[in-house]
């Protein structure tokens, strides 16, 4: 006679890097069913965006997520540019592409490190994060900041690359590419990785289509779904690249897809820097939009990112809707978790590269249901008081 | 039953609420299988739900107008299972109930939010950061 037991995991749990709650129903060592509960990181950014101007929103959207912030700001600016009727000059589009691909490398390396950590391979975690520093240093050199670059503005980018910067980026990426090739080989050959990832977290191509999965999760199940190819934005139709697909349908396939994608991204960066056109990097944009609506899609490191903006004749949007890749993959994640061993839960959750801050977008709530928001000054004073500085 | 093509080739289609499920089935048969997102919005005198659905590079946005007095839409989760979370999100944030959804419990908001107005309605304040 089997007895089903409910095991709650999260929102705070050593195996989770961000707050998310799962209720697992287990039978012995097997997971029978899983129910996720989101909302622990919901900050009401969509509501806040309605009270900000189009330009301010370029900075707000970048703060949805710390890891894929450039994907968010690129998707927002290109969608808002469409609404406002401007187009970024070619050089700006190339620079955006270079930065977007740099971000993909940094995000995937970070993820590879976390994945290695989840399966207890902490040496690899350290090496991956060391190599990720190369990319962060390039961000600092070219944009002035390591994480939040504030590079995108409506109508282009805020800083231009100097010839010496272009050379430094090329040199660093050529060097990094060798390391990326090494990781690709390592994932295929290293026994520790294989036993913890092979044939785990199965997701069929049929499930990908039904559950509308995106990004590396879809591509690792043999579904060739990539916005860069299907619906080219920026200048993705001008640079050469291959879409990496694998039909392994398991955690190993998702790891391999990401490793190969990093190599592709490195090639794309070198290719785009070769072709970098001259000219201005930004144009002046109007501040008011008509009563129109636009949509925009971008391939973020975790998959397809979607924005919908509706204008109302003023300098603020009527509605700004964000659909991030993580929420699109949570259903697939639940599917993968059913039937797995309890010990495999952490690598499976990690394999979709969940980004909770992205998924749930600040309202303060107390248990009685009262809501309020703090101004910058209030927040500063609160912070000082909290740390006993004033 | 109104079609609008934007400058960049994106299509916005408006259908009657009772024709939504039928339209969704037809679209799915024609290869529009990838539901990107469901946008719910408060347009002042009425509510709108927009289903953004893609066939590779083509994106079609299917809009239904929902009266504010009766904020309900039929579920499409049996046609596209990928809509499970998006319908709950619209339910939470805009307060448009998906009729026939297998589990319409709160997804993003706290469990005790139910007696408060949905946050993304225009009548709900907040979010006015200085």
């Amino acid at each position: 006679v089997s007895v089903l037991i409910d095991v709650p995991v999260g929102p705070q749990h050593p195996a989770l890097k961000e707050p998310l709650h799962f209720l697992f129903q287990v039978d012995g060592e097997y997971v029978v069913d899983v129910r996720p509960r989101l909302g622990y990181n919901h900050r009401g950014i969509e509501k806040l965006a309605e009270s900000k101007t189009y330009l301010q929103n370029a900075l707000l959207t970048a703060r949805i997520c710390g890891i894929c912030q450039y994907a968010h700001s690129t998707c927002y600016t290109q969608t808002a540019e469409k609404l406002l009727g401007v187009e970024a000059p070619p050089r700006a589009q190339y620079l955006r592409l270079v930065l977007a691909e740099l971000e993909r490398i940094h995000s995937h390396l970070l993820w590879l490190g976390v994945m290695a950590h989840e399966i207890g391979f902490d040496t690899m975690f350290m090496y991956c994060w060391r190599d990720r520093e190369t990319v962060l240093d390039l961000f600092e050199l070219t944009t002035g900041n390591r994480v939040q670059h504030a590079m995108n503005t409506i109508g282009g980018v805020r800083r231009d690359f100097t010839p010496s910067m272009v050379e430094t980026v090329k040199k660093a990426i050529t060097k990094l590419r060798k390391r990326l090739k090494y990781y690709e080989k390592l994932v295929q050959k290293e026994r520790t990785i294989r036993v913890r990832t092979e044939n785990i977290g199965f997701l069929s191509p049929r499930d990908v289509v039904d559950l509308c999965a995106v990004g590396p999760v879809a591509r690792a199940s043999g579904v060739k779904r990539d916005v860069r190819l299907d619906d080219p934005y920026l200048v993705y139709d001008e640079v050469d690249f291959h879409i990496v697909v694998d039909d392994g349908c398991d955690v190993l396939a998702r790891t391999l897809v990401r490793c190969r994608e990093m190599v592709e991204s490195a090639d794309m960066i070198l290719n785009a820097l070769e072709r970098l056109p001259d000219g201005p990097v930004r144009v002046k944009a109007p501040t008011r939009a008509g009563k129109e609506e636009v949509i925009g899609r971008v391939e973020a490191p975790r998959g397809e990112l979607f924005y919908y903006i509706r204008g109302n004749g003023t300098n603020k949007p009527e509605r700004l809707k964000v659909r991030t890749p993580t929420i699109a993959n949570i259903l697939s994640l639940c599917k993968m978790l059913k039937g797995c061993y309890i010990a495999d839960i952490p690598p499976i959750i990690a394999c979709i590269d969940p980004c909770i801050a992205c998924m749930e977008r600040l309202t303060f709530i107390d248990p009685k249901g009262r809501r309020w928001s703090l101004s910058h000054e209030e927040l500063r004073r609160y912070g000082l008081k909290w740390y006993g500085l004033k | 039953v109104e079609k609008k093509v934007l400058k960049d080739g994106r299509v916005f289609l408006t259908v009657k609420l009772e024709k939504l499920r039928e339209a969704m089935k037809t679209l799915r048969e024609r290869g529009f299988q990838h539901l990107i997102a469901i946008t719910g919005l408060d347009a002042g005198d009425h509510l709108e739900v927009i289903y953004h659905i893609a066939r590779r590079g083509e994106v079609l946005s299917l809009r239904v107008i929902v009266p504010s007095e009766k904020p309900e839409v039929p579920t499409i989760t049996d046609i596209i299972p990928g809509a499970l979370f998006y319908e709950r999100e619209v339910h939470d944030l805009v307060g448009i109930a998906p009729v026939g959804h297998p589990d319409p419990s709160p997804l993003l908001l706290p469990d005790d939010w139910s007696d408060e107005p949905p946050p993304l309605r225009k009548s709900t304040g907040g979010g006015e950061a200085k």
Side-chain angles (χ1 to χ4, degrees):
Chain A
V1 183
S2 67
V3 183
L4 294 180
I5 294 171
D6 287 345
V7 180
V9 173
Q12 306 298 333
H13 191 272
L16 299 170
K17 301 291 166 281
E18 279 186 277
L20 181 64
H21 171 80
F22 290 100
L23 186 65
F24 288 102
Q25 213 171 42
V26 299
D27 177 9
E29 280 295 310
Y30 290 102
V31 174
V32 178
D33 199 13
V34 53
R35 276 171 56 100
R37 176 70 163 91
L38 323 179
Y40 297 97
N41 211 350
H42 182 74
R43 292 157 292 163
I45 286 184
E46 286 182 23
K47 183 81 181 172
L48 185 60
E50 289 171 13
S51 64
K52 301 256 178 214
T53 65
Y54 286 106
L55 190 59
Q56 287 173 323
N57 276 328
L59 300 172
L60 178 68
T61 50
R63 276 148 184 82
I64 289 176
C65 175
I67 301 172
C68 52
Q69 59 89 13
Y70 200 74
H72 277 279
S73 82
T74 308
C75 193
Y76 169 75
T77 43
Q78 73 169 32
T79 312
E81 277 163 9
K82 240 185 264 169
L83 184 70
L84 296 163
V86 284
E87 201 181 351
R91 189 176 171 89
Q93 302 224 13
Y94 267 90
L95 293 181
R96 281 184 185 173
L97 185 143
V98 169
L99 289 165
E101 292 307 317
L102 276 172
E103 187 184 69
R104 195 179 313 277
I105 297 180
H106 126 77
S107 174
H108 282 359
L109 270 177
L110 181 141
W111 173 83
L112 193 62
V114 170
M115 187 68 200
H117 169 74
E118 296 292 4
I119 59 173
F121 194 178
D122 278 311
T123 319
M124 185 168 160
F125 163 73
M126 294 291 178
Y127 275 106
C128 284
W129 281 46
R130 186 198 68 177
D131 287 330
R132 173 176 165 261
E133 285 298 302
T134 315
V135 181
L136 295 185
D137 289 345
L138 290 178
F139 279 144
E140 191 176 2
L141 172 80
T142 53
T143 69
N145 276 311
R146 284 161 57 88
V147 178
Q148 285 289 358
H149 330 140
M151 190 67 167
N152 276 338
T153 181
I154 304 206
V157 291
R158 292 176 57 235
R159 283 166 170 232
D160 196 1
F161 279 32
T162 60
S164 78
M165 282 179 190
V166 173
E167 283 316 307
T168 318
V169 175
K170 275 188 193 167
K171 229 162 118 185
I173 290 298
T174 314
K175 201 173 156 197
L176 183 65
R177 193 179 179 280
K178 287 186 195 131
R179 294 291 303 167
L180 298 174
K181 281 297 244 191
Y182 169 72
Y183 289 127
E184 190 189 327
K185 209 174 90 190
L186 185 79
V187 170
Q188 283 170 300
K189 298 268 165 70
E190 172 61 45
R191 200 167 160 265
T192 329
I193 300 177
R194 290 201 77 117
V195 288
R196 286 305 304 272
T197 58
E198 217 168 0
N199 298 324
I200 288 166
F202 183 78
L203 186 75
S204 73
R206 174 83 212 233
D207 291 335
V208 170
V209 174
D210 281 350
L211 302 176
C212 306
V214 294
V217 174
R219 294 194 284 276
S221 286
V223 179
K224 204 169 180 181
R225 185 178 277 172
D226 193 314
V227 184
R228 293 175 291 174
L229 176 81
D230 297 340
D231 198 359
Y233 56 100
L234 297 179
V235 282
Y236 280 105
D237 45 352
E238 291 174 27
V239 295
D240 311 318
F241 67 103
H242 303 282
I243 299 298
V244 183
V245 184
D246 194 296
D247 46 17
C249 307
D250 56 2
V251 179
L252 178 68
R254 285 163 214 136
T255 315
L256 271 172
V257 163
R258 289 195 178 90
C259 287
R260 292 185 181 134
E261 264 183 27
M262 286 193 279
V263 180
E264 281 295 326
S265 295
D267 288 340
M268 231 188 278
I269 294 164
L270 295 173
N271 194 304
L273 287 176
E274 283 302 325
R275 298 177 186 204
L276 193 63
D278 290 330
V281 290
R282 69 187 284 189
V283 289
K284 210 168 156 45
T287 53
R288 283 165 199 279
K291 291 182 178 173
E292 284 154 23
E293 47 197 353
V294 286
I295 57 165
R297 296 158 94 189
V298 154
E299 186 73 17
R302 293 168 180 75
E304 176 193 46
L305 176 66
F306 172 88
Y307 270 69
Y308 165 88
I309 311 176
R310 178 188 283 195
N312 58 2
T314 67
N315 59 354
K316 291 171 184 161
E318 173 78 12
R319 175 85 167 91
L320 180 117
K321 154 88 188 166
V322 185
R323 201 284 271 127
T324 63
T326 301
I327 195 159
N329 281 339
I330 288 283
L331 281 172
S332 311
L333 172 65
C334 295
K335 184 96 191 168
M336 292 173 208
L337 285 167
K338 279 179 199 166
C340 78
Y341 279 125
I342 292 177
D344 290 333
I345 292 174
I348 294 179
I349 293 180
C351 86
I352 71 154
D353 198 359
C355 178
I356 312 305
C358 257
M359 179 162 74
E360 307 168 0
R361 286 138 271 104
L362 174 75
T363 306
F364 298 86
I365 300 166
D366 74 4
K368 292 188 196 80
R370 198 164 64 91
R371 284 166 293 151
W372 72 97
S373 16
L374 294 181
S375 69
H376 178 73
E377 185 53 31
E378 284 163 346
L379 194 64
R380 198 180 73 90
R381 267 188 265 123
Y382 179 79
L384 289 172
K385 201 176 126 203
W386 176 264
Y387 288 106
L389 293 169
K390 220 171 197 176
Chain B
V1 191
E2 179 202 334
K3 188 176 170 184
K4 201 169 81 188
V5 182
L6 305 186
K7 273 176 257 164
D8 56 346
R10 308 288 197 200
V11 181
F12 275 79
L13 216 63
T14 309
V15 294
K16 286 206 180 102
L17 192 54
E18 56 269 23
K19 296 274 180 199
L20 170 69
R21 286 177 52 86
E22 206 181 303
M24 230 16 137
K25 277 180 195 153
T26 318
L27 282 172
R28 192 170 158 90
E29 277 158 21
R30 296 197 185 164
F32 283 92
Q33 292 180 320
H34 180 52
L35 180 72
I36 304 176
I38 304 177
T39 307
L41 68 89
D42 183 357
D45 54 342
H46 63 269
L47 304 168
E48 285 178 23
V49 181
I50 312 171
Y51 299 83
H52 308 277
I53 183 156
R55 179 171 69 189
R56 297 195 75 87
E58 297 166 83
V59 185
L60 197 142
S61 303
L62 192 72
R63 185 202 323 265
V64 289
I65 310 286
V66 181
S68 312
E69 322 64 83
K70 194 169 170 263
E72 284 176 357
V73 283
T75 183
I76 57 154
T77 49
D78 51 328
I79 307 164
I80 300 171
L84 276 162
F85 278 12
Y86 303 145
E87 285 189 348
R88 284 168 74 183
E89 188 189 344
V90 172
H91 186 194
D92 273 21
L93 300 179
V94 199
I96 303 172
V99 180
H101 191 288
D103 172 25
S105 60
L107 181 74
L108 290 168
L109 294 183
D111 291 328
D112 58 355
W113 189 283
S114 53
D115 50 339
E116 302 256 340
L120 280 180
R121 290 282 181 92
K122 294 288 175 199
S123 55
T124 309
E128 302 291 330
K130 282 167 212 160

